[in-house]
């Protein structure tokens, strides 16, 4: 089962290396990784996606808690949350396919962010399954390049 884990940690050199080292040292794969500064400049939020049984994920979170610079670890699967990913896709857009590409991007609520003589660069955000659907539909038209962010997640607000 896939798990999205959010880790608040000190924004210091070497901290990311220690976190990823914990995974590689135990033979666990990180499928997605995103790190950025929070509102507090000395704190970063690391969001990662990994797969494993619940007992393995529990072991990983316990090990993460032991790292000195880790402030908080949250398995997002245990909470009601929102997850998003972003993809930039360079797709062929020749005269006979331009309208079709624009329709597809519109259906998926994406944006064209760059136009070239023979290609568009489009931005699509959403769950990983939505991005995969866009990629699958655009592939026959001709995808030239893809860059994906990594999953980011946030717990939903408490309902009063």
């Amino acid at each position: 089962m896939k798990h999205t884990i959010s880790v608040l940690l000190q924004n210091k050199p070497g901290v990311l290396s220690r976190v990823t080292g914990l995974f590689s040292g135990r033979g666990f794969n990180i499928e997605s990784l995103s790190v950025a500064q929070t509102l507090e400049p000395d704190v970063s939020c690391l969001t990662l996606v990994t797969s494993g049984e619940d007992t393995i994920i529990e072991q990983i979170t316990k090990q993460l808690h032991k790292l000195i610079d880790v402030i908080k670890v949250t398995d997002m699967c245990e909470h009601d949350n929102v997850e998003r990913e972003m993809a930039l896709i360079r797709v062929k857009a020749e005269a006979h396919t331009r309208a079709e590409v624009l329709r597809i991007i519109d259906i998926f609520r994406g944006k064209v962010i760059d136009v070239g003589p023979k290609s568009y660069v489009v931005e699509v955000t959403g769950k990983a399954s939505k991005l995969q659907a866009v990629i699958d539909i655009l592939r026959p038209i001709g995808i030239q390049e893809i860059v994906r962010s990594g999953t980011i997640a946030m717990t939903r607000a408490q309902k009063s």
Side-chain angles (χ1 to χ4, degrees):
M1 182 176 161
K2 283 192 179 192
H3 287 262
T4 302
I5 299 173
S6 176
V7 184
L8 286 179
L9 40 82
Q10 295 295 319
N11 191 3
K12 295 181 186 174
V15 176
L16 177 60
S17 177
R18 284 192 288 280
V19 170
T20 57
L22 185 140
F23 278 79
S24 64
R26 286 161 181 77
F28 301 128
N29 187 40
I30 296 174
E31 297 173 20
S32 168
L33 178 70
S34 180
V35 186
Q37 193 176 47
T38 63
L39 288 173
E40 298 176 38
D42 59 335
V43 177
S44 289
C45 181
L46 177 148
T47 307
L48 62 87
V49 177
T50 190
S51 295
E53 300 292 321
D54 290 342
T55 53
I56 303 273
I57 301 302
E58 185 179 339
Q59 178 188 359
I60 289 170
T61 56
K62 284 180 180 176
Q63 293 294 319
L64 284 168
H65 277 293
K66 290 180 183 178
L67 295 176
I68 268 183
D69 295 311
V70 169
I71 300 166
K72 182 179 179 184
V73 179
T74 306
D75 183 351
M76 299 303 265
C77 296
E78 296 174 356
H79 303 278
D80 196 15
N81 69 75
V82 289
E83 292 185 6
R84 291 292 180 265
E85 198 174 312
M86 182 179 75
L88 299 178
I89 306 167
R90 184 182 315 278
V91 63
K92 257 191 215 176
E94 295 171 345
H96 66 284
T97 60
R98 283 183 182 270
E100 183 181 3
V101 171
L102 291 174
R103 276 194 302 274
I104 292 167
I105 297 311
D106 187 51
I107 289 167
F108 284 94
R109 296 188 183 136
K111 297 181 210 170
V112 175
I113 59 171
D114 187 46
V115 177
K118 295 186 179 185
S119 68
Y120 289 147
V121 175
V122 298
E123 172 189 317
V124 183
T125 60
K127 290 191 170 222
S129 57
K130 175 183 174 181
L131 272 56
Q132 192 57 53
V134 172
I135 291 165
D136 291 344
I137 289 173
L138 291 175
R139 188 169 277 126
I141 295 169
I143 294 176
Q144 298 172 333
E145 184 179 1
I146 298 175
V147 179
R148 289 175 81 156
S149 65
T151 300
I152 55 173
M154 184 179 278
T155 57
R156 289 189 181 271
Q158 296 288 332
K159 295 178 183 174
S160 306

